[in-house]
Amino acid sequence: MDYDMIDFVDLEDLDVLETSRQFHRRRLRVNPFEMSDEDFRYKYRFTKRFGEKIVDLLREDLTHDPRGCPLSPELQVVCALRNWARHEIQDDTADLHGVSQPVVSTTCKRVAEILSRMSRRFIRMPATVNEQAETIRKFRNIANFPTVIGAIDCTHIRVKKVNADGGQLYINRKGFSSINVQVVCDADLKIMDIVTRWRGSVHDSRIFRECRLKQRFEAGAFSGILLGDSGYPCTPYLFTPILNPASPQEERYNRCHIRTRNTVERCFGLWKQRFRCLLRGMFGDVETAKKTIVACAVLHNIAIDMREDVFPGEDSFEQPSSREPIAQSYIPNSVRGNIRRRQFIEMHF
């Protein structure tokens, strides 16, 4: 081999190149909250006011990280927001903010963990009598369906293929790996309860059967009922549609049930429109994905409280339910549930 034909790079030149890259990254690392409101919203799909609210909420935890972090709380929050809201690959987020991809990855995990730890402050069922009465009133304004305290359903959040033992259990009926996330929402589309621990192959009815919320309903913690689709059994505290209505009363019940329960479908649409990572899937490991889903639920509720509009000019991701009809024999209604629903229809419809 003719070594004279090969151009060798001087090690000093490599050191100069690396120093230049580090300087370039530091030079790019500016405070994003110094840009205009319009530019901020274009880059992060949320208003600057919302971003400042999240920074204030997380500042203490982000500042006192025992492991240390090269980024300010402001940069950590906007990196996570951009990565989740735009579902942007982390290399692009890193280049925009003058950091490396591993720093963005670590930052997103840290922000997700902190938000998921404080989720009980923002994701909760109405506890007091007044809160429950107000929730029931708002649901009744939709289609005059009385005593509804929440609409329940599940949605599949795609995750990358799980290669560990039991990874096949994450594959859902549509053929891709996912986490089956159970959500209960109110009439304002806020998430009041969320369960993210179940694999994609698990049926919706089992998730509810084994969740703590069911135990609370059975213990009489709530004065209202839940509305669910035919994927759930009818119980005294969870009403489902009548599969074969045989009277005008039952038809009216079904119409009002569908319009009222549709709030959870709209909640999924709005939630996934704000955070495209929920629509297109998670890149990281499953445990990080679960925390990120909860973190996005917390941010979704804060956005609703702040009356944060969805970023304009985007295609709507709200999708009608594509659930396949489920044979009633697989999810039998309880006798008490059928009796309670029949009495309810006779009284109100």
Side-chain angles (χ1 to χ4, degrees), residues 15-31:
D15 291 338
V16 171
L17 179 60
E18 182 61 27
T19 302
S20 175
R21 286 176 177 171
Q22 293 175 0
F23 173 78
H24 183 60
R25 284 175 175 168
R26 287 196 298 270
R27 184 172 58 83
L28 286 176
R29 203 174 297 172
V30 296
N31 185 354

Side-chain angles (χ1 to χ4, degrees), residues 13 21 23-24 27 38 52 75 94 141 151 158 167 183 197 225 235 286 298 303 307 313 315-316 347:
D13 293 338
R21 286 176 177 171
F23 173 78
H24 183 60
R27 184 172 58 83
E38 183 179 357
E52 291 169 344
L75 275 176
N141 287 340
R158 185 188 293 267
V183 164
R197 66 187 183 92
I225 61 172
T235 69
V286 171
V298 171
R307 301 183 182 278
D315 295 332
S316 174
M347 181 181 300

Side-chain angles (χ1 to χ4, degrees), residues 169-338:
L169 298 177
Y170 282 91
I171 300 176
N172 60 32
R173 61 186 175 85
K174 295 184 178 179
F176 61 86
S177 297
S178 68
I179 299 170
N180 197 3
V181 180
Q182 176 182 280
V183 164
V184 176
C185 79
D186 65 12
D188 295 324
L189 310 186
K190 287 182 64 176
I191 295 173
M192 300 187 295
D193 188 81
I194 186 168
V195 179
T196 62
R197 66 187 183 92
W198 291 95
R199 295 168 288 196
S201 62
V202 179
H203 195 277
D204 298 2
S205 59
R206 181 186 172 189
I207 297 175
F208 180 71
R209 187 172 67 246
E210 300 189 19
C211 75
R212 183 172 177 270
L213 184 63
K214 178 177 182 290
Q215 299 173 359
R216 295 178 67 190
F217 269 97
E218 290 180 342
F222 306 106
S223 57
I225 61 172
L226 293 173
L227 295 187
D229 62 16
S230 56
Y232 297 93
C234 182
T235 69
Y237 46 83
L238 196 165
F239 284 3
T240 59
I242 295 177
L243 295 183
N244 298 297
S247 69
Q249 280 182 305
E250 292 180 349
E251 290 177 355
R252 285 195 294 271
Y253 165 85
N254 271 5
R255 285 197 298 269
C256 294
H257 184 289
I258 291 170
R259 288 179 57 193
T260 307
R261 195 201 67 83
N262 185 252
T263 53
V264 71
E265 300 287 353
R266 292 165 52 213
C267 173
F268 288 151
L270 183 62
W271 190 29
K272 293 180 180 182
Q273 187 172 356
R274 283 196 168 112
F275 300 100
R276 291 186 173 184
C277 63
L278 302 175
L279 181 78
R280 298 176 180 173
M282 304 287 186
F283 293 136
D285 61 87
V286 171
E287 291 306 314
T288 299
K290 293 175 181 178
K291 293 177 183 178
T292 303
I293 292 168
V294 176
C296 290
V298 171
L299 295 175
H300 169 79
N301 283 358
I302 294 174
I304 290 179
D305 286 338
M306 296 181 65
R307 301 183 182 278
E308 183 85 1
D309 293 332
V310 180
F311 182 73
E314 301 285 353
D315 295 332
S316 174
F317 297 130
E318 182 176 343
Q319 299 172 349
S321 176
S322 58
R323 184 183 305 282
E324 299 169 359
I326 303 174
Q328 193 73 4
S329 58
Y330 291 108
I331 10 178
N333 293 334
S334 69
V335 175
R336 290 179 58 231
N338 280 335

Side-chain angles (χ1 to χ4, degrees), residues 24-94:
H24 183 60
R25 284 175 175 168
R26 287 196 298 270
R27 184 172 58 83
L28 286 176
R29 203 174 297 172
V30 296
N31 185 354
F33 291 94
E34 294 178 353
M35 64 180 65
S36 68
D37 291 336
E38 183 179 357
D39 289 343
F40 187 94
R41 192 162 195 204
Y42 178 77
K43 288 182 181 296
Y44 303 108
R45 303 185 75 241
F46 288 94
T47 63
K48 191 188 297 187
R49 184 173 67 97
F50 178 83
E52 291 169 344
K53 168 76 173 179
I54 304 306
V55 171
D56 291 340
L57 182 67
L58 306 183
R59 184 182 299 279
E60 184 176 351
D61 292 301
L62 292 176
T63 303
H64 294 90
D65 184 358
R67 295 166 296 182
C69 183
L71 299 186
S72 65
E74 288 80 8
L75 275 176
Q76 292 182 66
V77 167
V78 297
C79 281
L81 281 180
R82 183 174 175 95
N83 188 250
W84 299 339
R86 301 178 69 99
H87 196 246
E88 185 175 63
I89 61 174
Q90 293 179 350
D91 278 332
D92 290 346
T93 302

